[in-house]
Amino acid sequence: NNNNNNSGHPSVLDQVNSNQMSLSTIKCVYDSLTVACCFTGHYEFLAQAYERASVNDFGNRSRLRQFGMTLLSAGKPKLALQIFRQCMSLGYDPLATIMAAKICLNSPTKTEESIQLCQQIILHGGTHMTKAYHIEGVAYMKLAADNSDHSQQMEFYKQALASLGKAFEVDEFNPLLRYHLALHYALLRDIENAFSFIRSSIFYDSSNPDSWNLFALILSAKHDYIAALRVIDAGLKQHPSHIELLLTRAKLIERVEDSTKTMEIYTSIISILTSQGQASENDKQQNQDQGIPSSFQKIQARKAVVWLKIAELFRKWDQLDDAKLAINEAQH
């Protein structure tokens, strides 16, 4: 057989080579695009690009995973979860499964699904198993906190500790894992264990504001309010606008000093939340379309809580008219 093509038309081999070169070029373009968008924080644009690339190629798990990751980075967890589920429908995919489990963990209605996804990973074993135990433990803690039946609550806490313990056996220097163990013991009023784990969590990573806040709350439970205030101030040096740290500081200041300074802290919190609300108002409609609370709505809810605390102070000072005004602000 003569493989030479004298008709002037490209041979099948030429077409295959051409297609392979085109696919290689597209891959290079998307790789470069991914790097550029990640460096500049343009996750929304990157998500749109991957969506166009995936529309005719929803069997490409690698591209689907990248699409899911960029949706998550662009603040679209609900859509990202759909994409990770699509990955999982094509066969067991540990990375897509662990990412889906994380998203479900942060959803108030999908905690049990997060546990089921973690159990799939644990069943298969592999490098993601420790992370699965960690997520599973936190999910059981959430179920315990949401349950009003004491016996069921304690069973969930028991399961949480078992999962966190298995993760700790392998990853004992993980500061976030130590933070969650501290939180678990704090919720069970085991202050000594909570104190030990939160100190070591901050030792390994002092950048987590939640760790500083929990540390202060544990010290407060030990009635060491001055030390708790020092811990809060250390956390605020790194995170001066962190709302939970500021709220805890306000409570401690009211206990060890006077409520006038507490009012100053609450006023500064309102100012911070107002600025954050203005910055996040753009995502209000976008998140409503996805059926999830927008950051704007969450900020408004937090402002309402702070206004009610301000109203309590005004009532304490017998400034009832000012208290009414603060309550009106909370209701708007």
Side-chain angles (χ1 to χ4, degrees):
N1 293 329
N2 189 354
N3 290 326
N4 293 328
N5 187 342
N6 298 319
S7 63
H9 298 291
S11 67
V12 172
L13 184 59
D14 289 336
Q15 290 176 339
V16 169
N17 289 335
S18 177
N19 289 339
Q20 288 176 340
M21 288 178 65
S22 297
L23 288 171
S24 178
T25 302
I26 292 170
K27 184 180 183 302
C28 288
V29 169
Y30 274 101
D31 286 346
S32 300
L33 182 64
T34 300
V35 172
C37 288
C38 288
F39 268 118
T40 57
H42 289 88
Y43 296 109
E44 181 79 26
F45 173 76
L46 186 57
Q48 293 171 3
Y50 274 119
E51 183 175 16
R52 287 193 293 269
S54 301
V55 70
N56 293 317
D57 192 15
F58 259 64
N60 187 325
R61 282 204 289 184
S62 176
R63 187 169 295 161
L64 282 172
R65 279 195 299 268
Q66 290 173 322
F67 184 24
M69 294 288 193
T70 53
L71 284 170
L72 197 56
S73 299
K76 298 180 178 180
K78 189 174 181 181
L79 291 175
L81 181 58
Q82 292 176 10
I83 297 302
F84 289 132
R85 283 173 174 160
Q86 178 69 23
C87 285
M88 292 184 287
S89 72
L90 300 173
Y92 177 65
D93 188 319
L95 181 56
T97 306
I98 202 73
M99 295 307 300
K102 285 182 179 180
I103 295 170
C104 290
L105 180 66
N106 292 321
S107 169
T109 60
K110 293 184 173 64
T111 307
E112 292 183 354
E113 183 179 350
S114 178
I115 292 172
Q116 292 168 1
L117 291 168
C118 288
Q119 289 173 348
Q120 287 182 29
I121 295 169
I122 293 166
L123 184 64
H124 283 84
T127 57
H128 294 284
M129 190 165 65
T130 303
K131 178 66 72 176
Y133 274 126
H134 187 172
I135 295 171
E136 183 183 50
V138 177
Y140 277 126
M141 286 171 61
K142 286 185 65 177
L143 289 180
D146 294 339
N147 201 295
S148 58
D149 181 83
H150 180 70
S151 61
Q152 184 63 66
Q153 188 180 61
M154 296 310 295
E155 181 60 30
F156 282 139
Y157 277 130
K158 182 180 177 181
Q159 291 173 303
L161 184 57
S163 297
L164 292 173
K166 287 176 181 175
F168 188 73
E169 288 174 5
V170 180
D171 197 13
E172 64 177 301
F173 299 112
N174 184 329
L176 185 59
L177 178 55
R178 285 177 174 267
Y179 164 78
H180 284 128
L181 281 163
L183 179 59
H184 177 274
Y185 283 117
L187 290 169
L188 290 175
R189 304 295 189 270
D190 185 344
I191 301 304
E192 292 309 315
N193 270 321
F195 181 76
S196 174
F197 274 108
I198 200 61
R199 283 186 64 187
S200 59
S201 174
I202 290 174
F203 175 79
Y204 290 118
D205 179 16
S206 63
S207 66
N208 182 3
D210 294 331
S211 294
W212 288 105
N213 194 55
L214 181 57
F215 194 10
L217 292 174
I218 291 168
L219 287 167
S220 182
K222 291 164 70 73
H223 305 292
D224 194 347
Y225 304 113
I226 301 300
L229 192 55
R230 286 200 298 266
V231 165
I232 282 295
D233 288 341
L236 283 168
K237 283 183 180 179
Q238 297 184 58
H239 310 278
S241 299
H242 192 269
I243 301 302
E244 295 304 325
L245 288 173
L246 288 168
L247 287 171
T248 301
R249 188 173 196 277
K251 293 176 187 175
L252 291 168
I253 286 289
E254 187 173 8
R255 179 173 285 276
V256 302
E257 295 186 26
D258 63 77
S259 52
T260 304
K261 289 186 178 180
T262 302
M263 179 64 81
E264 292 175 4
I265 297 171
Y266 285 147
T267 303
S268 70
I269 292 173
I270 290 293
S271 177
I272 292 167
L273 288 172
T274 299
S275 298
Q276 291 178 356
Q278 291 169 348
S280 66
E281 195 166 6
N282 292 335
D283 81 330
K284 184 177 177 182
Q285 187 59 48
Q286 175 184 303
N287 282 275
Q288 285 177 341
D289 292 342
Q290 295 185 46
I292 58 175
S294 67
S295 55
F296 177 82
Q297 291 170 310
K298 293 175 184 176
I299 289 167
Q300 293 301 101
R302 299 186 91 181
K303 279 180 70 175
V305 170
V306 179
W307 276 117
L308 290 175
K309 291 181 180 296
I310 290 173
E312 287 176 15
L313 283 179
F314 279 133
R315 279 198 294 265
K316 183 178 178 180
W317 299 337
D318 289 326
Q319 297 178 357
L320 300 183
D321 289 340
D322 289 329
K324 289 178 182 177
L325 289 172
I327 290 171
N328 287 336
E329 289 289 346
Q331 293 172 343
H332 284 84

